[in-house]
Amino acid sequence: MSETTIHDIAKKLNISASTVSRALNDNPIISKSTSKRIKKTALEMGYRPNSLAANFRTKRTNTIGIIVPLINRHFFSSVISGIEDLAYTQGFAVTISQSNDSFEKENKIAHTLFANRVDGLILSIGMETIKYDHLKLFAERKIPIVFFDRIAETIEAHKIVVDDFGGSLRATEHLIEQGAKRIAHIGGPLNLKIYQNRLAGYFKALERAGLEICDSLVIHNSLTRKDGTIAAQKLFQNENKPDAIFCANDTTALSTIIYLKNIGLKVPDDVLIVGFSNEPFSEVVTPSISTIKHPGFSMGRKAAELIIHQINEKVTRAVFETITMPTELIIRDSSKRIKIEK
Amino acid sequence: MSETTIHDIAKKLNISASTVSRALNDNPIISKSTSKRIKKTALEMGYRPNSLAANFRTKRTNTIGIIVPLINRHFFSSVISGIEDLAYTQGFAVTISQSNDSFEKENKIAHTLFANRVDGLILSIGMETIKYDHLKLFAERKIPIVFFDRIAETIEAHKIVVDDFGGSLRATEHLIEQGAKRIAHIGGPLNLKIYQNRLAGYFKALERAGLEICDSLVIHNSLTRKDGTIAAQKLFQNENKPDAIFCANDTTALSTIIYLKNIGLKVPDDVLIVGFSNEPFSEVVTPSISTIKHPGFSMGRKAAELIIHQINEKVTRAVFETITMPTELIIRDSSKRIKIEK
DNA sequence: TTGTAAGCGTTATCAT
DNA sequence: ATGATAACGCTTACAA
């Protein structure tokens, strides 16, 4: 009933436990022949290494902690999938928690992961997070952190973001190319850098085209389905109605389209729409939604690569990179003004 | 630089390490006053419990292992989200791996989780899995397992499934109520129980209504987007064209709708469609897709509840339950023949 | 190439 | 209510 240990194996073979340990860890110092004998009897005796003991001894868990706002969201589950995919090949386990965008929960999770001695942390911070003491914990103990998407600017760490600025610039320029003159923007909370950047890209495009920036055409909210509807409502009650909207996510793009349909306006005939993130639904709704593609899976793999590298290096880096993943404009029906072309 | 231990705290307060340990674990045998003193100095000294040591000592990791085919799929990420949600409140961490529907990977993952001493395992088996030796490992060591959705019938464990039969029955009956006479079925691979059940529900409904079961109206494939298109093509090249299709998932329901649109048939006017799973896109495509709701998040919570109960009980159950989660028919536009009603 | 022995930090058992 | 002590299974200097 009780587990076989390396001592049991050692006793059986009349050798020492350390030799067994070395052999089982493929230490090249052990002769081929004894190593083979040891592995054979280990198998016979049904030995399974006690990684709890090993972890305790070596102070390494081979575990990467992940914190995301919500697992069940396409972008985040893509990233997680990418992290797991690479981590697995490198012998790391992955433990996941969701903050539900609550600072309190994020804080608790961070402490738990810290206590559980994860070797590294990959996270996207929650909407409420503006203090980073819970992350400084890790920094102090030299436990590597990699941020993705929603980053904490003041913490020194590798960061992986998508090119929000460039994507938004392209999206807005595309609307301009399609003939839009009064382009509105439905954006996210500005305490998050990603939404600052998306706003900036939008502004830049307007500026380049010599279009006026109009305060009444810019609305910020939490980008839920409902927020999109309310924003659209506001935009079309105005005097200065937009002829195009660049939405900071696909969810609001969708609810905007639905709202417009309800008040008798057609997309793209009356109003052009571009979203952001390329949610699975965007391709299949009517009209299909033009959007900016977010490379979730690759971001996850890259994040895993960076953190594992740091874990294995054990070198305290002075220099941290911010990696910007390329975005891609996907033009679909919601933003094609010129139907004649084809 | 080095970590504070309970011995350091003990030394500072001139008490024993065991008292410190007890106080920190809220053992009621320790007097309120000393307990308070201990916690205070622990905080001051920046003590963080070494859970690696504790795990090692107690042989518990407070960790639940999860294996799913793919994290980045709406249903699975919902279940994972539900598991994490409950596990977190009960003090359990959750580690996730994806099998990619490969038996080899599933096998390796199981061994790794086993070696890492997870306290319990929640999983949905891959498409290739027909042998269960890797799971018997857990059973032998009395490590609880909970299956969900894709279950291994021969392993004794709690199982959580959705009411595939009932859902399909309702879906098909609904089509019949809407006046359909020649109902086709696009189903999944029959080595998986869930698709057997969905087929059975479809048959049952036809039988009850006295409708003939027609082989040429039933097609099985892997339920991808493309499979749906091919299946629809086949169905409408036939002599005996269907006037309704019950699809075993929403993906094929969608591609069927798109195909029909392309060949000039209208949904729901010419053909009625019902899908299965309530994917996020189903509500927002045009026409919106009637479907059977899959309670992913609740399944996850339930799975977590069951496994944690078993972990804490430490009692070897002789009796295992198979819990069938209720399904719900959501009627949307793709299956509403009678438009006059409103 | 192999063996000896210490020690990781905690909890549990037995005393007091 | 508290203390002393052993033990968990492994890794790793150091010794041989």
Side-chain angles (χ1 to χ4, degrees):
Chain A
M1 189 58 226
S2 76
E3 299 267 352
T4 311
T5 72
I6 53 172
H7 292 101
D8 299 328
I9 300 173
K11 202 171 288 174
K12 189 149 196 173
L13 293 174
N14 271 317
I15 52 176
S16 80
S18 40
T19 305
V20 176
S21 171
R22 290 184 185 112
L24 260 19
N25 288 314
D26 292 316
N27 189 324
I29 214 170
I30 301 294
S31 76
K32 282 278 173 203
S33 62
T34 45
S35 184
K36 197 172 275 177
R37 272 198 317 145
I38 289 170
K39 285 185 177 175
K40 184 159 161 275
T41 43
L43 204 64
E44 286 169 1
M45 297 177 74
Y47 171 75
R48 62 164 178 162
N50 186 336
S51 54
L52 259 42
N55 287 345
F56 170 47
R57 183 58 232 258
T58 59
K59 300 177 192 305
R60 265 190 67 155
T61 54
N62 289 305
T63 298
I64 296 169
I66 303 180
I67 308 177
V68 292
L70 187 63
I71 293 167
N72 178 26
R73 191 181 295 165
H74 182 252
F75 173 65
F76 289 124
S77 65
S78 304
V79 176
I80 294 169
S81 185
I83 295 172
E84 196 280 338
D85 194 61
L86 189 85
Y88 175 77
T89 66
Q90 310 278 32
F92 282 83
V94 145
T95 115
I96 302 183
S97 315
Q98 44 197 347
S99 66
N100 294 316
D101 274 315
S102 143
F103 175 70
E104 193 197 333
K105 196 171 171 199
E106 182 177 304
N107 188 41
K108 273 193 188 169
I109 293 168
H111 279 86
T112 306
L113 291 177
F114 184 68
N116 285 335
R117 307 289 211 270
V118 292
D119 292 338
L121 176 66
I122 299 177
L123 84 163
S124 194
I125 60 178
M127 290 226 184
E128 294 179 5
T129 303
I130 44 172
K131 287 188 64 179
Y132 305 120
D133 291 345
H134 57 308
L135 303 180
K136 284 179 190 148
L137 277 179
F138 291 82
E140 279 164 13
R141 305 273 180 170
K142 313 285 182 208
I143 300 169
I145 296 184
V146 171
F147 292 95
F148 72 90
D149 198 48
R150 303 200 199 152
I151 65 178
E153 287 193 90
T154 55
I155 301 268
E156 297 215 325
H158 288 314
K159 289 158 195 170
I160 303 181
V161 293
V162 295
D163 183 12
D164 291 293
F165 177 82
S168 301
L169 181 67
R170 271 302 288 126
T172 312
E173 282 181 343
H174 163 64
L175 290 171
I176 294 169
E177 285 161 15
Q178 296 292 307
K181 297 287 180 213
R182 294 184 311 287
I183 304 172
H185 176 54
I186 301 178
L190 286 181
N191 59 320
L192 293 181
K193 188 77 184 170
I194 59 170
Y195 298 117
Q196 289 176 26
N197 288 338
R198 290 181 197 179
L199 180 66
Y202 159 78
F203 280 157
K204 187 72 181 175
L206 295 186
E207 186 194 314
R208 278 197 193 164
L211 291 174
E212 194 191 351
I213 289 173
C214 178
D215 281 352
S216 71
L217 289 180
V218 178
I219 294 179
H220 289 278
N221 54 41
S222 300
L223 299 177
T224 64
R225 196 88 174 259
K226 196 173 181 184
D227 287 326
T229 307
I230 294 170
Q233 211 166 351
K234 211 178 273 177
L235 287 172
F236 285 87
Q237 277 169 355
N238 262 355
E239 196 61 7
N240 181 27
K241 294 182 184 25
D243 57 4
I245 309 176
F246 166 50
C247 303
N249 73 358
D250 282 359
T251 306
T252 52
L254 175 65
S255 56
T256 300
I257 290 174
I258 293 172
Y259 173 78
L260 293 177
K261 209 179 281 183
N262 287 340
I263 64 169
L265 287 175
K266 275 181 185 153
V267 176
D269 309 73
D270 302 317
V271 184
L272 303 173
I273 305 275
V274 176
F276 206 110
S277 284
N278 193 27
E279 295 287 337
F281 64 76
S282 300
E283 185 191 353
V284 295
V285 294
T286 311
S288 57
I289 302 175
S290 299
T291 190
I292 300 294
K293 197 169 164 186
H294 231 166
F297 190 85
S298 339
M299 282 179 81
R301 284 189 58 104
K302 190 73 198 170
E305 188 190 315
L306 285 177
I307 205 122
I308 290 170
H309 189 256
Q310 286 178 87
I311 291 170
N312 289 337
E313 283 272 302
K314 280 203 151 195
V315 176
T316 318
R317 282 272 206 141
V319 181
F320 293 99
E321 308 178 57
T322 294
I323 294 175
T324 305
M325 306 288 281
T327 54
E328 186 191 338
L329 171 67
I330 301 179
I331 300 174
R332 299 206 180 99
D333 293 341
S334 69
S335 66
K336 283 186 202 149
R337 165 113 337 144
I338 307 104
K339 291 223 154 183
I340 318 147
E341 299 213 26
K342 207 179 160 191
Chain B
M1 189 58 226
S2 76
E3 298 268 352
T4 311
T5 72
I6 52 173
H7 291 102
D8 299 329
I9 300 173
K11 202 171 287 173
K12 188 152 199 169
L13 294 174
N14 269 318
I15 53 177
S16 80
S18 26
T19 303
V20 176
S21 171
R22 290 183 185 112
L24 259 21
N25 287 314
D26 290 317
N27 190 325
I29 214 170
I30 301 294
S31 76
K32 284 275 173 205
S33 62
T34 45
S35 183
K36 196 171 277 177
R37 272 196 319 144
I38 290 170
K39 285 183 178 177
K40 184 159 161 277
T41 43
L43 202 65
E44 286 168 2
M45 298 178 72
Y47 170 75
R48 63 165 179 163
N50 185 336
S51 56
L52 259 40
N55 288 345
F56 169 48
R57 182 61 232 251
T58 59
K59 299 177 193 304
R60 266 190 64 156
T61 54
N62 290 305
T63 298
I64 296 169
I66 303 180
I67 308 177
V68 292
L70 187 63
I71 294 167
N72 179 26
R73 191 181 296 165
H74 182 251
F75 172 65
F76 289 124
S77 65
S78 303
V79 176
I80 294 169
S81 184
I83 295 171
E84 196 279 338
D85 194 61
L86 189 84
Y88 175 77
T89 65
Q90 310 277 28
F92 282 83
V94 145
T95 113
I96 302 184
S97 316
Q98 45 197 347
S99 66
N100 294 316
D101 274 315
S102 143
F103 175 70
E104 194 197 331
K105 193 170 173 202
E106 182 178 303
N107 188 41
K108 272 193 189 169
I109 292 168
H111 279 86
T112 307
L113 291 177
F114 184 67
N116 285 335
R117 306 290 210 269
V118 291
D119 292 338
L121 176 66
I122 298 176
L123 84 164
S124 194
I125 60 177
M127 289 226 185
E128 294 179 6
T129 304
I130 45 173
K131 286 187 66 181
Y132 306 120
D133 291 345
H134 57 309
L135 303 180
K136 284 179 189 147
L137 278 179
F138 291 81
E140 279 164 14
R141 305 274 180 169
K142 312 284 181 209
I143 300 167
I145 297 184
V146 170
F147 292 95
F148 72 91
D149 198 49
R150 303 203 200 149
I151 65 178
E153 288 194 89
T154 55
I155 300 267
E156 298 214 325
H158 288 313
K159 290 156 195 170
I160 303 182
V161 293
V162 295
D163 183 12
D164 292 294
F165 177 83
S168 301
L169 181 67
R170 271 302 289 124
T172 313
E173 281 181 343
H174 163 64
L175 290 170
I176 294 169
E177 285 160 15
Q178 296 292 308
K181 298 288 181 210
R182 294 182 312 287
I183 303 172
H185 176 55
I186 300 177
L190 286 181
N191 60 321
L192 292 181
K193 189 78 184 170
I194 59 171
Y195 297 116
Q196 290 176 26
N197 289 337
R198 290 181 196 178
L199 180 66
Y202 159 79
F203 281 157
K204 187 71 182 177
L206 296 185
E207 187 193 312
R208 278 196 193 164
L211 290 174
E212 195 191 351
I213 290 172
C214 178
D215 282 352
S216 72
L217 289 180
V218 178
I219 294 177
H220 289 278
N221 53 42
S222 300
L223 300 177
T224 63
R225 196 87 175 259
K226 196 173 181 183
D227 288 327
T229 307
I230 295 170
Q233 209 166 352
K234 211 178 271 178
L235 288 171
F236 284 87
Q237 278 170 354
N238 262 354
E239 196 61 9
N240 181 27
K241 294 182 181 29
D243 56 3
I245 309 176
F246 166 51
C247 303
N249 72 358
D250 283 0
T251 306
T252 52
L254 174 66
S255 55
T256 300
I257 290 174
I258 293 172
Y259 174 77
L260 293 177
K261 208 179 279 183
N262 287 340
I263 64 169
L265 287 174
K266 277 182 185 152
V267 176
D269 308 74
D270 301 317
V271 184
L272 303 173
I273 304 277
V274 176
F276 206 108
S277 285
N278 194 27
E279 295 287 337
F281 63 75
S282 301
E283 186 191 352
V284 295
V285 295
T286 309
S288 56
I289 302 176
S290 300
T291 190
I292 300 294
K293 197 172 166 185
H294 231 166
F297 190 85
S298 337
M299 283 179 80
R301 284 189 59 102
K302 190 73 198 173
E305 188 190 315
L306 285 176
I307 206 121
I308 291 171
H309 189 255
Q310 287 178 87
I311 291 169
N312 289 337
E313 283 271 302
K314 280 204 150 197
V315 175
T316 318
R317 284 273 207 141
V319 181
F320 292 100
E321 310 177 57
T322 294
I323 294 176
T324 305
M325 305 290 280
T327 53
E328 186 192 337
L329 172 66
I330 301 179
I331 300 174
R332 299 205 181 100
D333 293 340
S334 69
S335 67
K336 281 187 202 148
R337 166 113 334 146
I338 308 105
K339 292 222 153 182
I340 319 147
E341 300 213 24
K342 207 176 159 194

